[in-house]
Amino acid sequence: MEKKTERVFLIDFLNVISCFGVVWLHVNGAVWTFSYFRTWVTSWLLETLLYWPVPIFFMLSGITLLGYRDRYNTKVFLKKRMMKTLLPFLFWSVVSIFWSIYVSGYLTPDTRISLLSMVDLVVNCKGMSIYWFFPALFSVYLSIPILSLVEKEKRFGIYTYILVYGVLTISILPFLAALFGISFNSDLKSPICGGYLMYLLLGYLLWNHELTKRQRYIVYILGIAGWAVRFFGGWYLSWQAGNVNSTFSGYLNVPCVAQSAAVFVFFRQCDFTSLKKKMGSVVANLSELSFGIYLVHFYLMRFVIDQFQIEMSSWQWRLGGVWFTYFCSAGIVACMKKVPALSWLVP
């Protein structure tokens, strides 16, 4: 039986901590400048410990949206997705292009602005690279109307088959091929579980079906192993190469899949009764701001770093900058939501 997905504390809580984790990853951007000093190792530790928030976002979409037909039709579903994600993405992508040219310098001043070049810049997220999340999200959204047609009593079997097939050919086999230095034939990849669809199904299955104690422990062990492989493997290979090695990175790579599943199962089993009573409304309100925070936080972060000449590798910034960036962004988004003309930009 499917678990009801009306507003529940756990969904809001996962939304909030995932958003906070994403902001922290970006505050910890110094990790991508390799060094042989302890600063980089601690940055790498933080990077690997916080690699699950983006997959969790996709998993939450599986929980809340695969059953949309119980609430409204597909036309309404697509309209809601367009208003909530597509239009804000287009607006902020255009903003990011001019910001990158005239403020940050991520794009050169002679970047050509034309209709065709704007399409290229927007679709490929060249103004703000962190917006890569949205094209991936759109492709998942467009798959949901098909997946939602599966009868509820058949979903567990069908979704499990699609998920296992996808994880095997998109995550496990390419990982093993890279590990042993052999070529992987990409034609073997699942054509029915492409992109981030696996996380959508994983979230749905883990939400609606209880795991036994033994199964949970297996997931935890695999999750710890996934984190350890990325942390120690990436540390060793980076140390050898003298630059950041991404062999064990990637949200679709098996270490991340295992880690994300373990984090989700862990929080799924926690008892939040006391926390809900004390902070239920606060968490719900912050959850409503998460999408807007994701859209605006990077501009604020870069402004503060550039204006105050902050050293991103400093421990003060890596530990304190995330709180400043997250809550200041939350305040900005909350204010924008109160202005009708601006609220659609941070839905």
Side-chain angles (χ1 to χ4, degrees):
M1 180 179 294
E2 294 188 0
K3 189 175 179 179
K4 292 182 179 180
T5 56
E6 60 262 22
R7 172 145 249 148
V8 294
F9 181 81
L10 178 57
I11 291 177
D12 285 334
F13 178 78
L14 286 172
N15 188 307
V16 171
I17 64 171
S18 295
C19 181
F20 188 85
V22 167
V23 173
W24 207 347
L25 283 176
H26 296 154
V27 168
N28 190 51
V31 69
W32 301 113
T33 302
F34 177 79
S35 75
Y36 289 101
F37 299 103
R38 183 177 59 184
T39 297
W40 182 83
V41 177
T42 56
S43 295
W44 183 243
L45 176 62
L46 187 60
E47 161 73 17
T48 56
L49 286 174
L50 292 174
Y51 209 53
W52 48 267
V54 168
I56 292 291
F57 275 129
F58 283 107
M59 293 169 74
L60 292 177
S61 294
I63 295 169
T64 58
L65 297 179
L66 278 171
Y68 78 84
R69 291 180 186 275
D70 295 335
R71 305 186 295 276
Y72 39 74
N73 59 33
T74 299
K75 181 179 179 180
V76 173
F77 167 78
L78 293 176
K79 182 179 179 180
K80 283 178 173 290
R81 295 309 100 201
M82 181 181 71
M83 296 300 294
K84 186 172 178 61
T85 58
L86 179 59
L87 294 184
F89 164 72
L90 293 175
F91 174 85
W92 287 104
S93 291
V94 172
V95 169
S96 73
I97 291 168
F98 290 99
W99 174 78
S100 293
I101 294 174
Y102 299 110
V103 180
S104 71
Y106 291 159
L107 293 174
T108 59
D110 61 350
T111 298
R112 184 182 178 186
I113 300 298
S114 66
L115 179 60
L116 191 60
S117 68
M118 287 295 286
V119 171
D120 174 51
L121 292 168
V122 170
V123 171
N124 293 294
C125 307
K126 293 181 178 179
M128 180 65 73
S129 61
I130 69 168
Y131 288 171
W132 70 266
F133 175 79
F134 292 100
L137 188 65
F138 299 150
S139 66
V140 166
Y141 281 165
L142 292 174
S143 302
I144 289 177
I146 302 300
L147 290 170
S148 65
L149 287 172
V150 179
E151 298 176 15
K152 291 182 179 178
E153 60 271 17
K154 297 180 180 179
R155 286 181 181 176
F156 179 77
I158 293 176
Y159 287 177
T160 299
Y161 177 84
I162 296 174
L163 176 63
V164 171
Y165 181 21
V167 171
L168 178 65
T169 60
I170 295 173
S171 299
I172 297 177
L173 293 181
F175 172 78
L176 292 176
L179 192 62
F180 292 103
I182 62 176
S183 300
F184 176 74
N185 189 336
S186 60
D187 289 334
L188 291 171
K189 289 186 176 181
S190 168
I192 58 174
C193 193
Y196 292 81
L197 198 61
M198 68 170 70
Y199 285 118
L200 200 81
L201 299 177
L202 183 61
Y204 179 91
L205 292 170
L206 291 177
W207 180 260
N208 289 292
H209 300 276
E210 296 286 347
L211 298 180
T212 65
K213 186 175 182 180
R214 180 184 179 186
Q215 288 172 333
R216 292 199 303 270
Y217 285 164
I218 291 174
V219 172
Y220 295 152
I221 292 171
L222 291 175
I224 294 172
W227 165 79
V229 165
R230 184 163 185 248
F231 175 69
F232 292 106
W235 181 7
Y236 174 78
L237 293 178
S238 299
W239 207 266
Q240 294 294 313
N243 54 60
V244 181
N245 186 284
S246 300
T247 298
F248 301 111
S249 299
Y251 289 120
L252 299 181
N253 210 347
V254 67
C256 181
V257 176
Q259 181 186 17
S260 302
V263 170
F264 184 89
V265 170
F266 172 78
F267 284 117
R268 176 81 164 73
Q269 291 302 125
C270 290
D271 182 2
F272 289 105
T273 304
S274 178
L275 185 61
K276 180 180 179 180
K277 289 180 180 179
K278 296 177 180 178
M279 299 189 63
S281 60
V282 174
V283 172
N285 290 333
L286 286 175
S287 178
E288 290 290 336
L289 302 177
S290 290
F291 187 71
I293 291 172
Y294 185 84
L295 286 166
V296 308
H297 78 276
F298 202 88
Y299 301 103
L300 174 63
M301 184 187 77
R302 286 308 320 177
F303 174 80
V304 172
I305 290 173
D306 294 339
Q307 288 298 311
F308 296 97
Q309 298 296 302
I310 293 175
E311 178 55 56
M312 291 187 68
S313 61
S314 68
W315 67 267
Q316 293 93 337
W317 170 253
R318 286 183 291 144
L319 295 181
V322 59
W323 299 94
F324 173 85
T325 304
Y326 177 84
F327 283 106
C328 283
S329 298
I332 292 171
V333 173
C335 291
M336 292 180 68
K337 278 181 170 290
K338 293 182 181 297
V339 181
L342 300 178
S343 60
W344 69 275
L345 298 177
V346 286

